[in-house]
Amino acid sequence: MKIIKTISELRAYLGNFKRPAFVPTMGNLHAGHLALVRQAKPLGDVLVVSIFVNRLQFLPHEDFDTYPRTWQADCQALEQAGCDVVFAPSEQELYPEPQGFKVHPPAELADILEGHFRPGFFVGVSTVVMKLFACVQPRVAVFGQKDYQQLMVIKRMAQQFALPIEVLGGPTLRAEDGLALSSRNNYLSAPERAEAVHLSQALQHMAQALRDGVTDVAQLEQQAMAGLTARGWQPDYLVVRRRHDLQTPKAAELADLLTHQGLVVLAAARLGSTRLIDNLEV
Ligand code: PAF
């Protein structure tokens, strides 16, 4: 496995290949990331994984400085998972001057849900992904479905900029109790980790209620928020949305959306100081 830290070296090396497959990450890799790596491996003639903690997608009060950097363990795990190239640019390499040009996704997609609670997040994500795409020039790129809205933003970006890149989602991996794997799970204390299962359970409950014919989406969302709040969580949102545009479904279209697997329930909530997100397609 090659470790490459500069764009020029990456370009020179990848010049030998026709169809790079790419998995962008911020490191601190867990089994969920490695599943994306294994999914991407057979899709290209060389597999590139980037490790770059992207300052642009963190708000000033967020965990950029403390975001876990686990370089040695990440490289070992990537080598075992079949990665060919780790691209790990420094901030100076990727952003040698302040990144004045940025990618602004449309508000109706990027200022809701995560974008509402983390203003500028999707500008930061889209900008770094566009830049990483320019460096790696992959034919196919794989992103986790746990970051459901992020995957949608990147897919639309690739489509609207006519990037010759197939953007694919990889399924969310879960712990035995149902908690979605995430680098931020490492922040949870033992009691918080035991409690954390209630986020995915709340989503399962919402999904089941929809399947059982509940049509008052607003009430379902309020009850889910109240349930988690009563357990000591600070939820940002627990919502039912249409899969294709992440907007709230109208009561009249619920049955049709259910029949055609057109719904998703999404959640973000803080447990202590850790913010967790999750989603379930219905
Ligand atoms: O999902 C992530 O880890 C990050 O948002 C990404 C896509 C690597 C961009 O920094």
Side-chain angles (χ1 to χ4, degrees), residues 24-26 52 54 57 121 125 128-129 143 147 150:
T25 82
M26 298 205 299
F52 181 72
N54 173 40
Q57 71 191 73
F121 173 69
V125 168
V128 79
V129 170
F143 293 78
D147 297 292
Q150 169 175 283

Side-chain angles (χ1 to χ4, degrees), residues 164-179:
I165 303 170
E166 190 183 358
V167 177
L168 299 176
T172 303
L173 254 64
R174 297 182 179 278
E176 259 179 34
D177 65 357
L179 175 67

Side-chain angles (χ1 to χ4, degrees), residues 113 202-203 205-211 214-222 224 237-243 245-250 253-254 257-258 262-267 280 282:
L113 304 173
L203 288 175
H205 176 82
M206 290 173 81
Q208 192 54 49
L210 290 165
R211 286 189 210 103
V214 168
T215 52
D216 190 340
V217 164
Q219 192 186 43
L220 184 63
E221 293 175 354
Q222 277 160 20
Y237 57 84
L238 284 105
V239 292
V240 179
R241 292 294 164 104
R242 299 192 295 227
R243 278 193 214 180
D245 61 1
L246 295 185
Q247 299 299 317
T248 306
K250 297 186 180 60
E253 61 185 1
L254 266 181
L257 286 166
L258 262 173
L263 292 174
V264 58
V265 286
L266 304 111
L280 270 185
V282 188

Side-chain angles (χ1 to χ4, degrees), residues 65-129:
D65 288 329
T66 54
Y67 197 85
R69 277 114 171 135
T70 49
W71 173 250
Q72 297 291 351
D74 289 350
C75 286
Q76 269 174 19
L78 285 175
E79 181 137 43
Q80 279 169 15
C83 171
D84 299 308
V85 178
V86 181
F87 177 49
S90 63
E91 273 201 286
Q92 179 58 29
E93 177 70 13
L94 207 62
Y95 299 133
E97 48 187 323
Q99 183 69 29
F101 287 89
K102 293 195 174 133
V103 180
H104 286 262
E108 69 273 14
L109 184 58
D111 290 0
I112 59 171
L113 304 173
E114 283 306 281
H116 175 76
F117 288 96
R118 305 177 71 189
F121 173 69
F122 288 115
V123 174
V125 168
S126 307
T127 302
V128 79
V129 170

Side-chain angles (χ1 to χ4, degrees), residues 11-25:
R11 290 234 168 94
Y13 185 73
L14 292 181
N16 302 316
F17 299 92
K18 284 197 158 54
R19 197 181 153 79
F22 180 41
V23 180
T25 82

